[in-house]
Coordinates of all heavy atoms in Angstrom, one line a residue:
L7 N 78.6 2.3 120.6 CA 79.9 1.7 120.3 C 80.1 0.5 121.0 O 79.8 0.4 122.2 CB 81.0 2.8 120.4 CG 81.0 4.0 119.5 CD1 82.1 4.9 120.0 CD2 81.1 3.6 118.1
P8 N 80.8 -0.5 120.4 CA 81.2 -1.7 121.2 C 82.2 -1.4 122.3 O 82.9 -0.5 122.2 CB 81.7 -2.6 120.2 CG 82.0 -1.8 119.1 CD 81.3 -0.6 119.1
A9 N 82.1 -2.1 123.4 CA 83.1 -1.9 124.4 C 84.5 -2.3 123.9 O 84.7 -3.4 123.4 CB 82.7 -2.8 125.6
M10 N 85.4 -1.4 124.1 CA 86.8 -1.7 123.7 C 87.7 -1.5 124.9 O 87.4 -0.7 125.7 CB 87.2 -0.7 122.5 CG 86.5 -0.8 121.3 SD 87.0 0.2 120.0 CE 86.7 1.9 120.6
S11 N 88.7 -2.3 124.9 CA 89.7 -2.2 125.9 C 91.1 -2.2 125.3 O 91.4 -3.0 124.4 CB 89.5 -3.3 126.9 OG 89.8 -4.5 126.3
G12 N 91.9 -1.4 125.7 CA 93.3 -1.3 125.2 C 94.1 -2.5 125.7 O 94.0 -2.8 126.9
N13 N 95.0 -3.0 125.0 CA 95.8 -4.1 125.4 C 97.2 -3.7 125.1 O 97.6 -3.3 124.0 CB 95.5 -5.4 124.7 CG 96.1 -6.6 125.2 OD1 97.1 -6.5 125.9 ND2 95.6 -7.7 124.9
S14 N 98.1 -3.7 126.0 CA 99.5 -3.2 125.9 C 100.3 -4.1 124.9 O 101.2 -3.6 124.2 CB 100.2 -3.1 127.3 OG 100.3 -4.4 127.8
S15 N 99.9 -5.3 124.8 CA 100.6 -6.3 123.8 C 100.3 -5.9 122.4 O 101.1 -6.2 121.5 CB 100.5 -7.6 124.1 OG 99.1 -8.0 123.9
L16 N 99.1 -5.3 122.2 CA 98.7 -5.0 120.8 C 98.9 -3.6 120.4 O 98.6 -3.2 119.3 CB 97.2 -5.3 120.6 CG 96.8 -6.9 120.7 CD1 95.3 -7.0 120.7 CD2 97.5 -7.7 119.7
G17 N 99.4 -2.8 121.3 CA 99.7 -1.4 121.1 C 98.4 -0.6 121.2 O 97.6 -0.8 122.2
N18 N 98.0 0.3 120.2 CA 96.8 1.0 120.3 C 95.7 0.3 119.6 O 94.7 1.0 119.3 CB 97.1 2.4 119.7 CG 98.0 3.2 120.6 OD1 97.9 3.0 121.8 ND2 98.7 4.1 120.0
T19 N 95.8 -0.9 119.1 CA 94.7 -1.6 118.4 C 93.6 -2.0 119.3 O 93.8 -2.5 120.4 CB 95.3 -2.9 117.8 OG1 96.4 -2.6 117.0 CG2 94.2 -3.6 116.9
P20 N 92.4 -1.5 118.9 CA 91.2 -1.8 119.9 C 90.9 -3.3 119.8 O 91.1 -3.9 118.8 CB 90.1 -1.0 119.3 CG 90.5 -0.7 117.9 CD 92.0 -0.7 117.9
V21 N 90.5 -3.8 121.1 CA 90.1 -5.2 121.1 C 88.6 -5.2 121.4 O 88.2 -4.5 122.3 CB 90.8 -5.9 122.3 CG1 90.4 -7.4 122.4 CG2 92.3 -5.9 121.9
F22 N 87.8 -5.9 120.6 CA 86.4 -6.0 120.9 C 86.0 -7.1 121.8 O 86.5 -8.2 121.7 CB 85.6 -6.1 119.5 CG 85.7 -4.9 118.6 CD1 86.7 -4.9 117.6 CD2 84.9 -3.9 118.7 CE1 86.8 -3.9 116.8 CE2 85.0 -2.8 117.9 CZ 85.9 -2.8 116.9
D23 N 85.1 -6.8 122.7 CA 84.6 -7.8 123.7 C 83.4 -8.4 123.0 O 82.4 -7.7 122.8 CB 84.3 -7.1 125.0 CG 83.8 -8.1 126.0 OD1 83.9 -9.3 125.8 OD2 83.2 -7.7 127.1
I24 N 83.5 -9.6 122.6 CA 82.4 -10.4 121.9 C 81.2 -10.5 122.8 O 80.1 -10.4 122.2 CB 82.9 -11.8 121.4 CG1 84.0 -11.7 120.5 CG2 81.8 -12.6 120.9 CD1 84.6 -12.9 120.0
N25 N 81.3 -10.6 124.1 CA 80.1 -10.8 124.9 C 79.4 -9.4 125.1 O 78.3 -9.4 125.6 CB 80.5 -11.4 126.3 CG 81.0 -12.8 126.0 OD1 80.5 -13.5 125.2 ND2 82.0 -13.2 126.8
N26 N 80.1 -8.3 124.9 CA 79.6 -7.0 125.1 C 79.4 -6.2 123.9 O 79.7 -5.0 123.8 CB 80.3 -6.3 126.2 CG 79.6 -5.1 126.7 OD1 78.4 -4.9 126.6 ND2 80.3 -4.1 127.4
Y27 N 79.1 -6.8 122.8 CA 79.1 -6.1 121.5 C 77.7 -5.6 121.3 O 76.7 -6.2 121.7 CB 79.4 -7.1 120.4 CG 79.6 -6.5 119.1 CD1 80.8 -5.7 118.8 CD2 78.7 -6.6 118.0 CE1 81.0 -5.2 117.6 CE2 78.9 -6.1 116.8 CZ 80.1 -5.3 116.6 OH 80.3 -4.7 115.3
T28 N 77.6 -4.4 120.7 CA 76.3 -3.7 120.7 C 75.3 -4.5 119.8 O 74.1 -4.6 120.2 CB 76.5 -2.3 120.1 OG1 77.4 -1.5 120.8 CG2 75.2 -1.5 120.0
C29 N 75.7 -5.0 118.7 CA 74.8 -5.7 117.8 C 74.6 -7.2 118.2 O 74.0 -7.9 117.5 CB 75.4 -5.6 116.4 SG 75.4 -4.0 115.7
S30 N 75.2 -7.6 119.3 CA 75.1 -9.0 119.7 C 73.7 -9.4 120.1 O 73.3 -10.6 119.9 CB 76.1 -9.4 120.7 OG 75.8 -8.7 122.0
L31 N 72.9 -8.5 120.5 CA 71.5 -8.7 120.9 C 70.6 -8.6 119.7 O 69.5 -9.2 119.6 CB 71.1 -7.8 122.0 CG 71.8 -8.1 123.4 CD1 71.4 -7.1 124.4 CD2 71.7 -9.5 123.9
G32 N 70.9 -7.7 118.8 CA 70.0 -7.4 117.6 C 70.3 -8.4 116.5 O 69.4 -8.6 115.7
Y33 N 71.4 -8.9 116.3 CA 71.8 -9.7 115.3 C 71.7 -9.0 113.9 O 71.0 -8.1 113.8 CB 71.1 -11.1 115.2 CG 71.1 -11.8 116.5 CD1 70.0 -11.8 117.4 CD2 72.3 -12.4 116.9 CE1 70.1 -12.4 118.6 CE2 72.4 -13.1 118.2 CZ 71.2 -13.1 119.0 OH 71.3 -13.7 120.1
L34 N 72.5 -9.5 112.9 CA 72.4 -8.8 111.6 C 71.6 -9.7 110.6 O 70.8 -9.2 109.9 CB 73.8 -8.6 111.1 CG 74.6 -7.7 112.0 CD1 76.0 -7.5 111.5 CD2 74.0 -6.3 112.0
L35 N 71.9 -11.0 110.5 CA 71.3 -11.9 109.5 C 70.2 -12.7 110.0 O 69.0 -12.6 109.7 CB 72.4 -12.7 108.8 CG 71.9 -13.6 107.7 CD1 71.4 -12.8 106.5 CD2 73.1 -14.5 107.2
L36 N 70.5 -13.6 110.9 CA 69.6 -14.5 111.4 C 69.7 -14.5 113.0 O 70.7 -14.3 113.5 CB 69.8 -16.0 111.0 CG 69.7 -16.1 109.5 CD1 70.2 -17.6 109.1 CD2 68.2 -16.0 109.0
P37 N 68.6 -14.8 113.7 CA 68.7 -14.7 115.2 C 69.6 -15.7 115.7 O 70.1 -15.6 116.8 CB 67.3 -15.0 115.6 CG 66.4 -14.7 114.5 CD 67.2 -15.0 113.3
A38 N 69.9 -16.9 115.0 CA 70.7 -17.9 115.5 C 72.2 -17.7 115.2 O 73.1 -18.5 115.7 CB 70.2 -19.2 115.0
I39 N 72.6 -16.7 114.4 CA 73.9 -16.6 114.0 C 74.5 -15.2 114.4 O 73.9 -14.2 114.1 CB 74.0 -16.8 112.4 CG1 73.5 -18.1 112.0 CG2 75.4 -16.5 112.0 CD1 73.4 -18.3 110.5
N40 N 75.6 -15.2 115.0 CA 76.3 -13.9 115.2 C 77.3 -13.7 114.1 O 78.4 -14.1 114.2 CB 77.0 -13.9 116.6 CG 76.0 -13.8 117.7 OD1 75.0 -13.3 117.6 ND2 76.4 -14.5 118.8
E41 N 76.9 -13.1 113.1 CA 77.7 -13.0 111.8 C 78.7 -11.9 112.0 O 79.6 -11.8 111.2 CB 76.8 -12.7 110.6 CG 76.2 -11.4 110.7 CD 75.3 -11.1 109.5 OE1 74.4 -11.9 109.2 OE2 75.7 -10.2 108.7
Y42 N 78.8 -11.1 112.9 CA 79.8 -10.1 113.1 C 81.2 -10.7 113.4 O 82.2 -10.0 113.3 CB 79.5 -9.0 114.1 CG 79.3 -9.6 115.6 CD1 80.5 -9.6 116.4 CD2 78.1 -10.0 116.0 CE1 80.4 -10.0 117.7 CE2 78.1 -10.5 117.4 CZ 79.2 -10.5 118.1 OH 79.1 -11.0 119.4
T43 N 81.2 -12.0 113.8 CA 82.5 -12.6 114.0 C 83.1 -13.1 112.7 O 84.2 -13.6 112.8 CB 82.3 -13.7 115.1 OG1 81.4 -14.7 114.6 CG2 81.9 -13.2 116.4
W44 N 82.3 -13.2 111.6 CA 82.8 -13.8 110.4 C 83.5 -12.7 109.7 O 83.5 -11.5 110.0 CB 81.6 -14.1 109.5 CG 80.7 -15.2 110.1 CD1 80.8 -15.9 111.2 CD2 79.4 -15.5 109.5 NE1 79.8 -16.7 111.3 CE2 78.9 -16.5 110.3 CE3 78.7 -15.2 108.4 CZ2 77.7 -17.1 110.0 CZ3 77.5 -15.8 108.1 CH2 77.0 -16.8 108.9
S45 N 84.4 -13.1 108.7 CA 85.2 -12.2 108.0 C 84.3 -11.4 107.1 O 83.2 -11.8 106.7 CB 86.3 -12.9 107.2 OG 85.7 -13.6 106.1
V46 N 84.8 -10.2 106.7 CA 84.0 -9.3 105.8 C 83.8 -10.0 104.4 O 82.7 -9.8 103.9 CB 84.8 -8.0 105.6 CG1 84.1 -7.1 104.7 CG2 84.9 -7.3 107.0
N47 N 84.8 -10.7 103.9 CA 84.7 -11.4 102.6 C 83.6 -12.4 102.6 O 82.7 -12.5 101.7 CB 86.0 -12.0 102.2 CG 87.0 -11.0 102.0 OD1 86.8 -9.9 101.7 ND2 88.3 -11.3 102.2
V48 N 83.5 -13.2 103.6 CA 82.4 -14.2 103.8 C 81.1 -13.6 103.8 O 80.1 -14.0 103.1 CB 82.7 -15.1 105.0 CG1 81.4 -16.1 105.2 CG2 83.9 -16.0 104.8
R49 N 80.9 -12.5 104.6 CA 79.6 -11.8 104.7 C 79.3 -11.2 103.4 O 78.1 -11.2 103.0 CB 79.7 -10.8 105.8 CG 79.6 -11.4 107.2 CD 79.4 -10.4 108.3 NE 80.6 -9.6 108.5 CZ 80.8 -8.5 109.1 NH1 79.7 -7.9 109.6 NH2 81.9 -7.9 109.3
A50 N 80.3 -10.6 102.7 CA 80.0 -9.9 101.4 C 79.5 -11.0 100.4 O 78.5 -10.7 99.7 CB 81.3 -9.3 100.9
I51 N 80.1 -12.1 100.4 CA 79.7 -13.2 99.4 C 78.2 -13.6 99.7 O 77.4 -13.8 98.9 CB 80.7 -14.3 99.4 CG1 82.0 -13.9 98.7 CG2 80.1 -15.6 98.7 CD1 83.1 -14.9 98.9
L52 N 78.0 -13.8 101.1 CA 76.6 -14.3 101.4 C 75.5 -13.3 101.2 O 74.5 -13.6 100.6 CB 76.6 -14.6 103.0 CG 77.3 -16.0 103.3 CD1 77.3 -16.2 104.8 CD2 76.8 -17.1 102.6
Y53 N 75.8 -12.0 101.4 CA 74.9 -10.9 101.1 C 74.7 -10.8 99.6 O 73.6 -10.5 99.2 CB 75.3 -9.6 101.8 CG 74.9 -9.4 103.1 CD1 75.8 -9.6 104.2 CD2 73.6 -9.2 103.5 CE1 75.4 -9.5 105.6 CE2 73.2 -9.1 104.8 CZ 74.1 -9.3 105.8 OH 73.8 -9.2 107.1
L54 N 75.8 -10.9 98.8 CA 75.6 -10.9 97.4 C 74.8 -12.1 96.8 O 74.0 -11.9 95.9 CB 76.9 -10.9 96.7 CG 77.7 -9.5 96.8 CD1 79.1 -9.6 96.1 CD2 76.9 -8.4 96.1
L55 N 75.0 -13.2 97.4 CA 74.2 -14.4 97.0 C 72.7 -14.2 97.4 O 71.9 -14.5 96.6 CB 74.7 -15.7 97.6 CG 76.0 -16.2 97.1 CD1 76.5 -17.4 97.9 CD2 75.9 -16.5 95.6
G56 N 72.5 -13.6 98.5 CA 71.1 -13.3 98.9 C 70.5 -12.2 98.0 O 69.3 -12.3 97.6
L57 N 71.3 -11.3 97.6 CA 70.8 -10.2 96.8 C 70.4 -10.7 95.4 O 69.4 -10.4 94.8 CB 71.9 -9.1 96.6 CG 71.5 -7.9 95.8 CD1 70.3 -7.1 96.5 CD2 72.7 -7.0 95.6
L58 N 71.3 -11.7 94.9 CA 71.1 -12.3 93.6 C 69.8 -13.2 93.6 O 69.1 -13.2 92.7 CB 72.3 -13.1 93.1 CG 73.5 -12.2 92.7 CD1 74.7 -13.2 92.4 CD2 73.1 -11.4 91.4
W59 N 69.7 -13.8 94.8 CA 68.5 -14.8 94.9 C 67.2 -13.9 94.9 O 66.2 -14.3 94.3 CB 68.5 -15.5 96.2 CG 67.5 -16.4 96.5 CD1 66.3 -16.2 97.3 CD2 67.2 -17.7 96.0 NE1 65.5 -17.2 97.3 CE2 66.1 -18.2 96.5 CE3 68.0 -18.5 95.2 CZ2 65.6 -19.5 96.2 CZ3 67.5 -19.8 94.9 CH2 66.3 -20.2 95.4
C60 N 67.2 -12.7 95.6 CA 66.0 -11.9 95.5 C 65.8 -11.3 94.2 O 64.7 -11.2 93.7 CB 66.2 -10.7 96.6 SG 66.1 -11.3 98.3
F61 N 66.9 -11.0 93.5 CA 66.8 -10.4 92.1 C 66.2 -11.5 91.2 O 65.4 -11.1 90.3 CB 68.2 -10.0 91.6 CG 68.1 -9.4 90.2 CD1 67.6 -8.2 89.9 CD2 68.6 -10.2 89.1 CE1 67.6 -7.7 88.6 CE2 68.6 -9.8 87.8 CZ 68.1 -8.5 87.5
L62 N 66.6 -12.7 91.3 CA 66.0 -13.8 90.5 C 64.5 -13.9 90.7 O 63.7 -14.2 89.8 CB 66.7 -15.1 90.6 CG 68.2 -15.1 90.1 CD1 68.9 -16.5 90.4 CD2 68.0 -15.1 88.5
G63 N 64.2 -13.8 92.0 CA 62.7 -13.9 92.4 C 61.9 -12.8 91.7 O 60.8 -13.0 91.2
V64 N 62.5 -11.6 91.8 CA 61.7 -10.4 91.2 C 61.7 -10.6 89.6 O 60.7 -10.3 89.0 CB 62.4 -9.1 91.5 CG1 61.9 -7.9 90.7 CG2 62.2 -8.8 93.0
A65 N 62.7 -11.1 89.1 CA 62.8 -11.3 87.6 C 61.8 -12.4 87.2 O 61.1 -12.3 86.2 CB 64.1 -11.7 87.2
Y66 N 61.6 -13.4 88.0 CA 60.6 -14.4 87.7 C 59.2 -13.9 87.8 O 58.5 -14.2 86.8 CB 60.8 -15.6 88.7 CG 59.8 -16.7 88.6 CD1 60.0 -17.6 87.5 CD2 58.8 -16.9 89.5 CE1 59.2 -18.6 87.3 CE2 57.9 -18.0 89.3 CZ 58.0 -18.9 88.2 OH 57.2 -19.9 88.1
V67 N 58.9 -13.1 88.8 CA 57.6 -12.6 88.9 C 57.3 -11.5 87.8 O 56.2 -11.6 87.2 CB 57.4 -11.9 90.3 CG1 56.1 -11.1 90.3 CG2 57.4 -13.0 91.4
A68 N 58.3 -10.8 87.4 CA 58.2 -9.8 86.3 C 58.0 -10.5 85.1 O 57.2 -10.1 84.1 CB 59.4 -8.9 86.2
D69 N 58.6 -11.6 84.8 CA 58.5 -12.4 83.5 C 57.0 -13.0 83.4 O 56.4 -12.9 82.4 CB 59.4 -13.6 83.5 CG 59.4 -14.3 82.2 OD1 59.4 -13.6 81.2 OD2 59.4 -15.6 82.2
I70 N 56.5 -13.5 84.6 CA 55.1 -14.0 84.5 C 54.2 -12.8 84.2 O 53.2 -12.9 83.5 CB 54.8 -14.7 85.8 CG1 55.6 -16.0 85.9 CG2 53.3 -15.0 86.0 CD1 55.5 -16.6 87.3
F71 N 54.4 -11.7 84.9 CA 53.5 -10.5 84.7 C 53.6 -10.0 83.2 O 52.5 -9.8 82.7 CB 54.0 -9.4 85.6 CG 53.2 -8.1 85.5 CD1 51.9 -8.0 86.0 CD2 53.8 -7.0 84.8 CE1 51.1 -6.8 85.7 CE2 53.1 -5.9 84.7 CZ 51.8 -5.8 85.2
M72 N 54.8 -10.0 82.7 CA 54.9 -9.5 81.3 C 54.2 -10.5 80.2 O 53.6 -10.1 79.3 CB 56.3 -9.3 80.8 CG 56.9 -8.1 81.6 SD 56.0 -6.5 81.3 CE 56.2 -6.4 79.5
A73 N 54.4 -11.8 80.6 CA 53.6 -12.8 79.7 C 52.1 -12.6 79.8 O 51.5 -12.7 78.8 CB 54.0 -14.2 80.2
S74 N 51.6 -12.3 81.0 CA 50.2 -12.1 81.1 C 49.8 -10.8 80.4 O 48.7 -10.8 79.8 CB 49.7 -12.1 82.6 OG 50.3 -11.0 83.2
I75 N 50.5 -9.8 80.5 CA 50.2 -8.6 79.8 C 50.2 -8.8 78.2 O 49.4 -8.3 77.6 CB 51.3 -7.4 80.1 CG1 51.0 -7.0 81.6 CG2 51.1 -6.2 79.3 CD1 49.8 -6.4 81.9
E76 N 51.2 -9.5 77.8 CA 51.3 -9.8 76.3 C 50.1 -10.6 75.9 O 49.5 -10.4 74.8 CB 52.6 -10.6 76.0 CG 53.8 -9.8 76.0 CD 55.0 -10.7 75.7 OE1 54.8 -11.8 75.3 OE2 56.1 -10.1 75.9
R77 N 49.6 -11.5 76.7 CA 48.4 -12.3 76.3 C 47.2 -11.5 76.3 O 46.3 -11.6 75.4 CB 48.3 -13.5 77.3 CG 47.2 -14.4 77.0 CD 47.2 -15.6 77.9 NE 46.2 -16.5 77.6 CZ 45.8 -17.5 78.2 NH1 46.5 -17.9 79.3 NH2 44.9 -18.3 77.8
I78 N 47.1 -10.6 77.3 CA 45.9 -9.7 77.3 C 45.9 -8.8 76.2 O 44.8 -8.6 75.5 CB 45.9 -8.9 78.7 CG1 45.6 -9.8 79.8 CG2 44.8 -7.8 78.6 CD1 45.7 -9.2 81.1
T79 N 47.0 -8.2 75.8 CA 47.1 -7.2 74.7 C 47.1 -7.8 73.3 O 46.8 -7.1 72.4 CB 48.3 -6.3 74.9 OG1 49.4 -7.1 74.8 CG2 48.3 -5.5 76.2
S80 N 47.4 -9.1 73.3 CA 47.4 -9.7 71.9 C 46.0 -10.3 71.5 O 45.9 -10.9 70.4 CB 48.4 -10.8 71.9 OG 48.1 -11.9 72.7
K81 N 45.0 -10.3 72.4 CA 43.7 -10.8 72.0 C 43.1 -10.0 70.9 O 43.1 -8.8 70.8 CB 42.8 -10.7 73.2 CG 43.1 -11.8 74.2 CD 42.0 -11.8 75.3 CE 42.3 -12.9 76.3 NZ 41.3 -13.0 77.3
T82 N 42.5 -10.7 70.0 CA 41.8 -10.1 68.9 C 40.3 -10.5 68.9 O 40.0 -11.5 69.4 CB 42.4 -10.5 67.5 OG1 42.3 -11.9 67.4 CG2 43.9 -10.0 67.5
R83 N 39.5 -9.7 68.2 CA 38.1 -10.1 68.1 C 37.7 -9.8 66.7 O 38.3 -8.9 66.0 CB 37.2 -9.3 69.1 CG 37.2 -7.9 68.9 CD 36.3 -7.3 70.0 NE 36.1 -5.9 69.6 CZ 35.7 -4.9 70.4 NH1 35.2 -5.3 71.6 NH2 35.5 -3.7 70.0
I84 N 36.7 -10.5 66.2 CA 36.3 -10.3 64.8 C 35.1 -9.3 64.9 O 34.2 -9.4 65.6 CB 35.7 -11.6 64.3 CG1 36.9 -12.6 64.3 CG2 35.1 -11.4 62.9 CD1 36.5 -14.0 63.9
V85 N 35.3 -8.3 64.0 CA 34.4 -7.2 63.9 C 33.8 -7.3 62.5 O 34.5 -7.3 61.5 CB 35.0 -5.9 64.2 CG1 34.0 -4.6 64.0 CG2 35.5 -5.8 65.5
R86 N 32.5 -7.1 62.4 CA 31.8 -7.1 61.1 C 31.6 -5.7 60.6 O 31.0 -4.9 61.3 CB 30.4 -7.8 61.1 CG 30.6 -9.3 61.4 CD 29.2 -9.9 61.4 NE 29.3 -11.3 61.7 CZ 28.2 -12.1 61.8 NH1 27.0 -11.5 61.6 NH2 28.3 -13.3 62.1
I87 N 32.0 -5.4 59.4 CA 31.9 -4.0 58.8 C 31.1 -4.2 57.6 O 31.3 -5.1 56.8 CB 33.3 -3.5 58.5 CG1 34.2 -3.3 59.7 CG2 33.2 -2.1 57.8 CD1 35.6 -2.8 59.5
S88 N 30.1 -3.4 57.5 CA 29.2 -3.4 56.3 C 30.0 -3.1 55.1 O 30.7 -2.0 55.0 CB 28.0 -2.5 56.5 OG 28.4 -1.2 56.6
D89 N 29.8 -3.9 54.1 CA 30.4 -3.6 52.8 C 29.5 -4.2 51.7 O 29.3 -5.4 51.5 CB 31.8 -4.4 52.8 CG 32.6 -4.1 51.5 OD1 32.2 -3.3 50.7 OD2 33.7 -4.8 51.3
P90 N 28.9 -3.3 51.0 CA 27.9 -3.7 50.0 C 28.5 -4.6 48.8 O 27.8 -5.3 48.2 CB 27.4 -2.4 49.4 CG 28.2 -1.3 49.9 CD 29.0 -1.9 51.1
E91 N 29.8 -4.5 48.7 CA 30.4 -5.2 47.6 C 30.8 -6.6 48.0 O 31.1 -7.4 47.2 CB 31.7 -4.5 47.1 CG 31.4 -3.1 46.5 CD 32.7 -2.4 46.2 OE1 33.8 -3.0 46.4 OE2 32.6 -1.3 45.8
A92 N 30.7 -7.0 49.3 CA 31.0 -8.3 49.8 C 29.8 -9.2 49.5 O 28.7 -8.8 49.3 CB 31.3 -8.3 51.2
E93 N 30.1 -10.6 49.6 CA 29.0 -11.5 49.3 C 27.8 -11.4 50.3 O 26.7 -11.4 49.9 CB 29.6 -12.9 49.3 CG 30.5 -13.3 48.3 CD 31.0 -14.7 48.4 OE1 30.4 -15.5 49.2 OE2 32.1 -15.0 47.8
N94 N 28.2 -11.3 51.6 CA 27.2 -11.3 52.6 C 26.7 -10.0 53.0 O 25.9 -9.7 53.8 CB 27.7 -12.0 53.9 CG 28.1 -13.5 53.7 OD1 27.5 -14.1 52.8 ND2 29.1 -13.9 54.5
G95 N 27.3 -8.9 52.4 CA 26.9 -7.6 52.7 C 27.8 -7.0 53.8 O 27.6 -5.8 54.2
Y96 N 28.7 -7.8 54.3 CA 29.7 -7.3 55.3 C 31.0 -8.1 55.1 O 31.0 -9.1 54.5 CB 29.1 -7.5 56.7 CG 28.9 -9.0 57.1 CD1 29.9 -9.7 57.7 CD2 27.6 -9.6 56.9 CE1 29.7 -11.1 57.9 CE2 27.4 -10.9 57.2 CZ 28.4 -11.7 57.7 OH 28.2 -12.9 58.0
R97 N 32.0 -7.6 55.7 CA 33.3 -8.2 55.8 C 33.8 -8.3 57.2 O 33.4 -7.4 58.0 CB 34.3 -7.6 54.8 CG 34.7 -6.2 55.2 CD 35.6 -5.6 54.2 NE 35.7 -4.1 54.4 CZ 36.8 -3.5 54.7 NH1 37.9 -4.2 54.9 NH2 36.8 -2.2 54.9
Q98 N 34.5 -9.3 57.5 CA 35.0 -9.5 58.9 C 36.5 -9.1 59.0 O 37.3 -9.4 58.1 CB 34.9 -11.0 59.3 CG 33.4 -11.4 59.4 CD 33.4 -12.9 59.8 OE1 34.3 -13.6 59.8 NE2 32.1 -13.3 60.2
V99 N 36.7 -8.2 60.0 CA 38.1 -7.7 60.2 C 38.4 -8.2 61.7 O 37.7 -8.0 62.6 CB 38.1 -6.2 60.1 CG1 39.5 -5.7 60.4 CG2 37.6 -5.8 58.7
D100 N 39.8 -8.6 61.9 CA 40.3 -8.9 63.2 C 40.8 -7.6 63.7 O 41.7 -6.9 63.1 CB 41.5 -9.9 63.1 CG 40.9 -11.3 62.7 OD1 39.7 -11.5 63.1 OD2 41.6 -12.1 62.2
L101 N 40.4 -7.2 64.9 CA 40.9 -6.1 65.6 C 41.5 -6.5 66.9 O 41.1 -7.4 67.6 CB 39.8 -5.1 65.9 CG 39.1 -4.4 64.7 CD1 38.0 -3.4 65.1 CD2 40.2 -3.7 63.9
K102 N 42.6 -5.8 67.3 CA 43.2 -6.0 68.7 C 42.4 -5.3 69.7 O 41.8 -4.3 69.6 CB 44.7 -5.6 68.7 CG 45.5 -6.4 67.9 CD 47.0 -6.0 68.1 CE 47.9 -7.0 67.4 NZ 49.3 -6.7 67.7

């Protein structure tokens, strides 16, 4: 727990010591930023933007993967099947 000290002017509201904060050495977002001093709303917006950025990256990779799967599964090849009624004695059929 962070170090708290009571202050008579604030009543029973805990006061956090910024220099003795438990997470101040571990940091939350980046090593250069102490984000625990930011408001919760700002952090929520930044984390949501980061989450959306990661989601778009995963969506991009999944789109490329699905396009390659479609290309692989849509390949066809021509197969000759013997048919005595055809001109050449066989007919050609496209198979996936």
Side-chain angles (χ1 to χ4, degrees):
L7 292 175
M10 294 186 295
S11 61
N13 191 341
S14 61
S15 65
L16 296 176
N18 291 331
T19 306
V21 177
F22 292 97
D23 182 12
I24 293 177
N25 297 323
N26 192 18
Y27 192 72
T28 303
C29 293
S30 65
L31 297 177
Y33 307 105
L34 299 175
L35 182 64
L36 297 171
I39 300 172
N40 288 330
E41 68 181 60
Y42 64 90
T43 59
W44 300 352
S45 72
V46 174
N47 295 333
V48 172
R49 285 190 286 167
I51 289 170
L52 288 177
Y53 276 105
L54 285 174
L55 287 175
L57 184 67
L58 288 173
W59 181 261
C60 291
F61 178 74
L62 286 174
V64 169
Y66 179 74
V67 170
D69 186 45
I70 292 173
F71 178 73
M72 289 306 295
S74 64
I75 292 295
E76 286 179 14
R77 186 172 180 187
I78 291 170
T79 57
S80 68
K81 285 188 177 182
T82 61
R83 64 179 191 195
I84 299 174
V85 177
R86 295 181 180 178
I87 298 176
S88 63
D89 186 6
E91 296 175 3
E93 292 178 17
N94 300 334
Y96 62 88
R97 61 186 168 114
Q98 294 181 347
V99 179
D100 288 333
L101 294 179
K102 287 189 175 185

